[in-house]
Amino acid sequence: MSFPRITVVVVTALMAVGAATAEGADLPGSSGSSGSAVPCTIALDAGHNGVVTNTYDPVTGVLMADYPNGKEDADALDIARAVRDRVEAAGFRVVLLKDTTEDNVTYRDRVDRAAAEDAVVGVSIHTTPGADGSAVYPQRVGGYRTGEGTDGQKTTVTSDDSVTAVESQRFSTVMAGARSVAELRGVPVGDLSFDGRPGLWGGNLPVISLIADTPWVYNEFGSATGGGAHGISAAEESRYVDGLSAGILAGLATSPQCSVAGSAGSVG
Ligand SMILES: [Zn+2]
């Protein structure tokens, strides 16, 4: 019954956020989008790797530690495929950065693919235990990871791309609003900490968000009964798909790079 009022609040917030960054000339997808019929592209990152991987990013030097995580792998891929279908139905182009749960793709592979596809945003999809675990994590200037580099020396990699961070934060705010409506609970734009986690560098940005030149939106869905390796229920999955899809479409509709949702025409 209270849905209409909530929706109005969210839409008003979206318009305010969208108006704050109405240019974005240096963002991905800027070139070739003026008057072009080519729809905007987004990259969907189903969380976790098919095998344990611990390599150093050749570009930044950060440790790229990733691993399979039980039922989360298939959940994230199912959700990514469902979101893809909805976003494509609205006329946008979607690239999945993982096609099967067995795929072995590093964070560098994923962000390079997103950039090569000229994605205007990358969206990471994860789940986690705990009903209070839902959150959206944006890129932030000054966000970092720190640990032992390939040369054995303490190394810190810090984010300094303000244009990308501003668009990531705008998109994350839109996403958090849409997800809050779909999940029937407040989904905050949050801050992560990786400090004290064995096998991972410390710091406060997901590695994929840190090394991406594309605006990135990192999502966790908190489950009361499962989450992460334990899996989420069909009802939870449905709410997550709804929220992500609505958030992506609202973010694209207010994107400085993209035409209004639906105007690109219907795409098979
Ligand atoms: Zn995860």
Side-chain angles (χ1 to χ4, degrees):
M1 280 306 189
S2 60
F3 272 9
R5 178 176 301 178
I6 292 171
T7 303
V8 166
V9 170
V10 170
V11 169
T12 304
L14 301 191
M15 294 175 74
V17 171
T21 54
E23 43 169 295
D26 295 330
L27 290 167
S30 299
S31 60
S33 62
S34 57
S36 158
V38 177
C40 268
T41 298
I42 73 149
L44 292 181
D45 171 41
H48 294 279
N49 200 40
V51 296
V52 172
T53 180
N54 280 291
T55 59
Y56 290 90
D57 177 26
V59 178
T60 65
V62 73
L63 176 65
M64 302 187 295
D66 201 357
Y67 47 89
N69 195 35
K71 292 181 178 175
E72 185 179 356
D73 304 5
D75 285 350
L77 194 55
D78 284 349
I79 292 158
R81 287 170 174 154
V83 170
R84 173 194 60 194
D85 292 348
R86 289 174 174 218
V87 174
E88 285 185 344
F92 296 101
R93 184 171 165 264
V94 177
V95 174
L96 294 186
L97 301 181
K98 218 175 129 181
D99 295 315
T100 76
T101 54
E102 289 79 33
D103 284 2
N104 183 10
V105 279
T106 66
Y107 297 131
R108 173 52 59 188
D109 294 333
R110 297 177 198 224
V111 300
D112 281 355
R113 173 93 189 281
E117 299 282 359
D118 208 19
V120 297
V121 66
V123 176
S124 289
I125 300 169
H126 288 257
T127 75
T128 193
D132 62 350
S134 277
V136 184
Y137 302 101
Q139 290 156 317
R140 297 182 190 280
V141 171
Y144 71 98
R145 298 298 287 271
T146 187
E148 187 179 303
T150 182
D151 59 359
Q153 301 296 310
K154 179 180 161 81
T155 305
T156 301
V157 178
T158 305
S159 173
D160 63 359
D161 184 344
S162 61
V163 173
T164 299
V166 165
E167 173 62 2
S168 167
Q169 289 161 24
R170 185 194 73 81
F171 216 108
S172 294
T173 305
V174 170
M175 182 73 84
R179 285 190 52 199
S180 295
V181 173
E183 293 181 31
L184 301 169
R185 57 187 174 184
V187 177
V189 175
D191 258 328
L192 273 172
S193 173
F194 295 91
D195 295 344
R197 289 178 57 175
L200 302 182
W201 280 18
N204 56 14
L205 272 188
V207 168
I208 196 165
S209 306
L210 174 61
I211 68 175
D213 292 327
T214 302
W216 215 266
V217 176
Y218 190 99
N219 293 272
E220 289 280 10
F221 179 97
S223 169
T225 56
H230 309 290
I232 64 175
S233 71
E236 288 176 322
E237 193 167 308
S238 173
R239 285 181 179 174
Y240 199 12
V241 168
D242 284 349
L244 288 169
S245 302
I248 288 167
L249 292 177
L252 291 176
T254 51
S255 163
Q257 282 76 50
C258 304
S259 50
V260 173
S263 70
S266 68
V267 173

